[in-house]
Amino acid sequence: MSKDNIIESYVNPLAFIDADSRFHFGKDKPVLTAESVLRYLSSEKLMPTMDNIQKNYELIATNTTRLFIVPDEYRILWKIIFPLKNAIGSYIIGNALECIALCGTVSEMLSIFRFEIAQISIEGRKISDEKRQHDSLIKFEKLGQYNRVKKLLDLKLIDSSIKDNFDVVRCIRNDYLHNLSQSLENISPDAKKTFDATLDNVLKITGLTVDNGRAILNQEVLNYLERKNLLHKNTE
């Protein structure tokens, strides 16, 4: 005869109770608050205080002001910049694993972007035909991240410091996202490492610097923006 067991459990771990009318049994429509949204988005074991959020932000955002401006271009914003911002948001509410995952995604997009703006074939030949550029980009996208970075280095599109940053992100991401046995003991400092390496590569690949109050970008980025009709001559 089997015995009953007691197991500590989470009930409805995916449900947003405060927003889900099924849990209110015919009562008035639930009213959401900023606190209830924060509670749902945060780690179940850590409802962050404002002090914790402030401390976590100060930990991860030490270099964010280096990226003081970015071009208002759809793919740059939605594939690179906004996911990187969301990585910060995940970190500050205690979701370091999400921060690592997002930095991994941004790093992949960044490596592909670096290849795209070079306008070359996967063998390294310059291409001017738009269709051939697209076909070459698709071939590059189908490579794994390790091989993408190796190809960028072989083609001299990145230097060893950018490669090292890509490797840091890839290795940490793979440890946490591919290995169930990976300990979470150092996940917060590891998330910080992935974020810093990713941000550093954004700056190095875009070439963003300041000269006498003017924003300076990599010429290949400027050429990319010109192809998108987003580069306008200053007539003043």
Side-chain angles (χ1 to χ4, degrees):
M1 181 176 179
S2 64
K3 295 182 179 180
D4 291 336
N5 296 294
I6 297 176
I7 303 174
E8 292 187 12
S9 306
Y10 282 114
V11 178
N12 291 308
L14 303 182
F16 187 179
I17 304 296
D18 293 338
D20 196 326
S21 59
R22 292 172 296 178
F23 294 94
H24 293 262
F25 308 106
K27 297 180 181 179
D28 292 339
K29 184 178 179 180
V31 178
L32 296 183
T33 65
E35 183 179 354
S36 67
V37 173
L38 179 61
R39 185 186 305 113
Y40 179 72
L41 294 176
S42 303
S43 166
E44 282 293 329
K45 291 192 174 182
L46 174 64
M47 172 57 184
T49 64
M50 292 300 109
D51 284 344
N52 283 337
I53 289 175
Q54 180 72 37
K55 289 176 183 177
N56 287 341
Y57 179 77
E58 289 172 356
L59 281 172
I60 197 159
T62 52
N63 294 315
T64 52
T65 53
R66 292 173 61 200
L67 189 69
F68 65 95
I69 192 170
V70 292
D72 185 7
E73 192 273 326
Y74 181 83
R75 283 197 292 177
I76 292 175
L77 290 177
W78 288 94
K79 295 295 185 75
I80 297 173
I81 302 304
F82 291 160
L84 196 57
K85 178 184 176 183
N86 290 338
I88 297 175
S90 295
Y91 185 90
I92 67 175
I93 61 174
N95 293 331
L97 184 62
E98 293 178 9
C99 176
I100 291 170
L102 284 165
C103 288
T105 298
V106 172
S107 283
E108 294 202 10
M109 295 298 104
L110 198 55
S111 67
I112 295 167
F113 178 71
R114 180 63 191 97
F115 181 81
E116 180 180 17
I117 62 177
Q119 293 186 281
I120 59 175
S121 71
I122 205 160
E123 296 80 22
R125 294 188 295 272
K126 202 69 178 174
I127 300 175
S128 56
D129 179 74
E130 189 173 325
K131 183 181 184 307
R132 290 178 60 207
Q133 288 174 4
H134 177 74
D135 292 344
S136 180
L137 180 64
I138 296 301
K139 288 181 182 178
F140 185 80
E141 286 180 325
K142 289 182 178 179
L143 298 174
Q145 181 69 349
Y146 174 85
N147 289 321
R148 287 190 203 115
V149 173
K150 183 178 184 302
K151 176 64 71 173
L152 292 175
L153 189 66
D154 290 344
L155 294 173
K156 295 182 172 52
L157 296 178
I158 60 173
D159 61 23
S160 60
S161 68
I162 297 176
K163 175 192 178 296
D164 290 345
N165 281 336
F166 276 133
D167 288 348
V168 165
V169 177
R170 178 178 54 81
C171 290
I172 292 176
R173 174 192 177 278
N174 288 350
D175 284 344
Y176 284 97
L177 299 187
H178 293 179
N179 301 323
L180 187 61
S181 61
Q182 175 67 33
S183 169
L184 300 181
E185 183 178 358
N186 295 315
I187 192 168
S188 290
D190 283 342
K192 165 71 171 166
K193 289 178 187 175
T194 62
F195 179 82
D196 285 345
T198 305
L199 176 58
D200 193 48
N201 271 357
V202 170
L203 292 162
K204 287 178 175 177
I205 287 173
T206 59
L208 180 62
T209 56
V210 181
D211 181 28
N212 293 324
R214 297 181 303 166
I216 306 298
L217 289 169
N218 180 339
Q219 184 60 50
E220 288 178 323
V221 175
L222 293 175
N223 294 341
Y224 169 83
L225 295 173
E226 187 171 27
R227 294 195 298 275
K228 300 290 184 179
N229 295 317
L230 294 173
L231 192 65
H232 309 292
K233 297 296 183 183
N234 187 351
T235 58
E236 294 183 4

